[in-house]
Amino acid sequence: MEKERAPRNRTVTISDEEKTLYEGKLCKVENTQDYVDHIFNDPLEELIKIVPEKSVDLLILDPPYNLSKDFGKMKFGERSDESYEKYLETWFPMLLPLLKDTASVYLCGDWKCSNSLYKMCEKYLKTQNRITWQREKGRGAAHNWKNCTEDIWFATVSDDFYFDVDAVKQKRRVIAPYKENGVPKDWEDTEDGKFRLTCPSNFWDDISVPFWSMPENTDHPTQKPEKLFAKLILASSRPGDLVMDPFMGSGTTAVVAKKLGRHFVGSEINPEYCMWALKRLDMAESDKSIQGYEDGVFYERNSGK
């Protein structure tokens, strides 16, 4: 039964008419040799057959966390750390030959699986950092601390990698506007207030998780925000680079790559998720905005930008 939604709800959905349209646009590896700017309705084992070795500039991985979760066409069950690491070993090494020697990798997880993800980075790549980002959504816990952060491990194939710190600076409000000789020191006085551009740290508290009034929102159970992946893509790829995501979900990686002038390739086994992604890509043709990012600057959460 279809959900009844409020009039102001902007969640991306697929009508019966659109379903016919997007079902006809679903890509399968067996039907094409063209891989650039495609999301394949296939498992990643099929995807790696079509992506050439040493062709990927940036790999973003958002696999199932070690939680029991229903992804429609696939149910993932919580397991021991050892079993989860064996699961990661079934596919993580398969992706590595596709990476350029200068490629970067971002691997998403929560507190429970973060250690296992770190082990993969340490075993196969050069670990550079751990990003922790704050989720403002989520239920409270009566007998534990509320889980409101997630991790993203940043790793590279080699010590020769691209990182553009200027592309991911954040505009922060100045609390104590210090002046030197009567002139603002490292901050700017604007009509909207006093701000300074700051270099990004590995703790991000400016991310809004997609919700019903945001045009990027879908019914995907673990959708990542466009702003979150925009930071990864801007920092670790150049315009025209190839960004890969073999767990594409509702298409956030592809949509952000398109909005920022990068190419993409990925896979997703759930056809409904693929159709949501295709619709979002169509929407990106006319709307390249990313909430919280404007004029080359990332704004604080709930800044109105």
Side-chain angles (χ1 to χ4, degrees), residues 140-168:
H143 304 288
N144 202 339
W145 307 105
K146 177 182 175 180
N147 181 22
C148 64
T149 62
E150 293 190 13
D151 288 338
I152 304 177
W153 288 99
F154 169 37
T156 58
V157 174
S158 70
D159 290 325
D160 178 18
F161 61 93
Y162 176 80
F163 192 86
D164 187 355
V165 69
D166 290 327
V168 286

Side-chain angles (χ1 to χ4, degrees), residues 60 62 65 108 133-137 150 152 204 206-211 214 216-218 220 222-233 250-257 259 280 290-292 298 301:
I60 295 177
D62 187 19
Y65 297 177
C108 303
W133 66 280
Q134 183 182 34
R135 297 174 54 98
E136 84 283 15
K137 288 177 68 176
E150 293 190 13
I152 304 177
W204 298 352
D206 61 315
I207 305 297
S208 294
V209 177
F211 53 91
M214 294 171 65
E216 69 185 79
N217 189 54
T218 72
H220 191 281
T222 60
Q223 181 180 346
K224 291 295 188 292
E226 290 185 9
K227 184 180 182 183
L228 182 74
F229 282 3
K231 293 189 177 194
L232 310 183
I233 290 171
S250 61
T252 298
T253 299
V255 171
V256 175
K259 288 182 176 182
R280 291 177 67 194
I290 295 172
Q291 185 160 325
F298 287 95
R301 181 190 294 159

Side-chain angles (χ1 to χ4, degrees), residues 142-198:
H143 304 288
N144 202 339
W145 307 105
K146 177 182 175 180
N147 181 22
C148 64
T149 62
E150 293 190 13
D151 288 338
I152 304 177
W153 288 99
F154 169 37
T156 58
V157 174
S158 70
D159 290 325
D160 178 18
F161 61 93
Y162 176 80
F163 192 86
D164 187 355
V165 69
D166 290 327
V168 286
K169 286 189 174 179
Q170 186 177 22
K171 192 170 185 177
R172 287 188 176 272
R173 193 173 298 276
V174 176
I175 305 301
Y178 177 73
K179 290 185 178 182
E180 191 172 82
N181 298 323
V183 179
K185 184 174 175 60
D186 300 326
W187 56 273
E188 181 182 1
D189 202 353
T190 72
E191 293 181 357
D192 298 325
K194 299 173 176 63
F195 294 92
R196 67 162 48 96
L197 286 181
T198 62

Side-chain angles (χ1 to χ4, degrees), residues 41 59 86 126 137 141 165 220 222 237:
N41 183 208
L59 177 62
K86 287 181 179 178
K126 293 180 176 291
K137 288 177 68 176
V165 69
H220 191 281
T222 60
S237 70

